[in-house]
Amino acid sequence: MSDTPRTVIVTGAARGIGASAARRLSRDGHAIGIIDLDADACQAVVDEIVAEGGTAQGFAADVSDEASVKAAVDAIALAMGPPLVLVNNAGILRDNLLFKMTVDDWDAVMGVHLRGAFLMSRAAQRHMIEARWGRIVNLSSTSALGNRGQANYAAAKAGMQGFTKTLAIELGKFGVTANAVAPGFIETDMTRATAERLKVSFEDFLTHTAS
Ligand code: NAI
């Protein structure tokens, strides 16, 4: 990303990968709008960034809810300037083997990852188009290639790649790039929850999954 300071939105940034991305982007000189479900949960990351001399504000929004997304993106644009960088990071797991997976498990995962990335990107892109510059980064996963117990998550993360390519095709001519990153195992609350679900200690899970 260029060195020009921008207003950045990172979704699901109250903890985990999103919080790390927010801290890093702040060190690069950008102002960070931190979106998560609960504004209070964002405060610790906001405080850390501000204590380091950066600029950050927390905004409560459910990325899968159209009105909530619009309100948050409008509020960020008003308070911090037009958001020209968007990291679609918010995510959930509702792991289960196919025969036990409920429609709610399926819809919830699709709702946060895919519908969330769609709603956020659609709301933010108008600022990027206006500026003729923008960057959208979407979190996919190595699970996009398939993973036991993750029919919903794998489908969402594979969908994220097609979504990203389409954004790049549609928005590229306006100076807006779209890229997906597909991490493997990263130690966060999300992967701790997976270890719990599998009823193994986090240490054993680390040894078998991340080695
Ligand atoms: P995490 O569970 O630690 O953090 C996710 C954050 O998203 C939480 O703060 C949560 O409150 C927020 N969130 C959930 N639903 C939301 C909603 N509807 N609206 C707004 N915020 C919402 O997860 P982690 O591990 O930091 O993952 C971040 C992203 O990276 C996710 O998209 C995940 O699928 C992806 N990823 C994670 C990997 C890992 O090994 N941890 C590997 C590959 C991808």
Side-chain angles (χ1 to χ4, degrees), residues 1 5 15 23 48 51 53 59 67 101-102 126 135 150 168:
M1 208 160 74
R15 67 183 196 200
R23 287 190 283 260
E48 263 182 74
F59 297 84
M101 188 171 284
T102 65
R126 67 184 176 88
R135 297 287 179 264
Q150 293 197 315

Side-chain angles (χ1 to χ4, degrees), residues 79-91:
M80 308 184 76
L84 300 188
V85 180
L86 168 65
V87 182
N88 282 311
N89 166 83

Side-chain angles (χ1 to χ4, degrees), residues 39-51:
D40 289 345
C42 300
Q43 201 53 45
V45 184
V46 169
D47 289 346
E48 263 182 74
I49 289 174
V50 170

Side-chain angles (χ1 to χ4, degrees), residues 1 86-89 117 121 134-140 160-169 171 176-182:
M1 208 160 74
L86 168 65
V87 182
N88 282 311
N89 166 83
S121 301
R135 297 287 179 264
I136 298 175
V137 178
N138 294 324
L139 266 289
S140 180
M160 203 67 124
Q161 296 187 18
F163 175 67
T164 305
K165 183 72 186 269
T166 305
L167 293 187
I169 292 166
L171 303 179
V176 179
T177 65
N179 289 280
V181 287

Side-chain angles (χ1 to χ4, degrees), residues 78-135:
L78 194 67
M80 308 184 76
L84 300 188
V85 180
L86 168 65
V87 182
N88 282 311
N89 166 83
I92 57 166
L93 294 179
R94 292 286 184 274
D95 291 359
N96 234 328
L97 292 175
L98 181 64
F99 77 102
K100 286 196 271 189
M101 188 171 284
T102 65
V103 170
D104 278 352
D105 292 335
W106 179 269
D107 288 346
V109 166
M110 292 298 158
V112 177
H113 294 271
L114 275 182
R115 183 183 160 96
F118 155 64
L119 291 173
M120 286 299 308
S121 301
R122 195 184 61 176
Q125 57 81 34
R126 67 184 176 88
H127 297 287
M128 302 180 191
I129 302 291
E130 210 174 293
R132 290 290 191 274
W133 192 94
R135 297 287 179 264

Side-chain angles (χ1 to χ4, degrees), residues 4 13 49 60 67 126 140 162 175 186 203 208:
T4 312
I49 289 174
R126 67 184 176 88
S140 180
I186 297 178
E203 289 62 37
H208 290 106

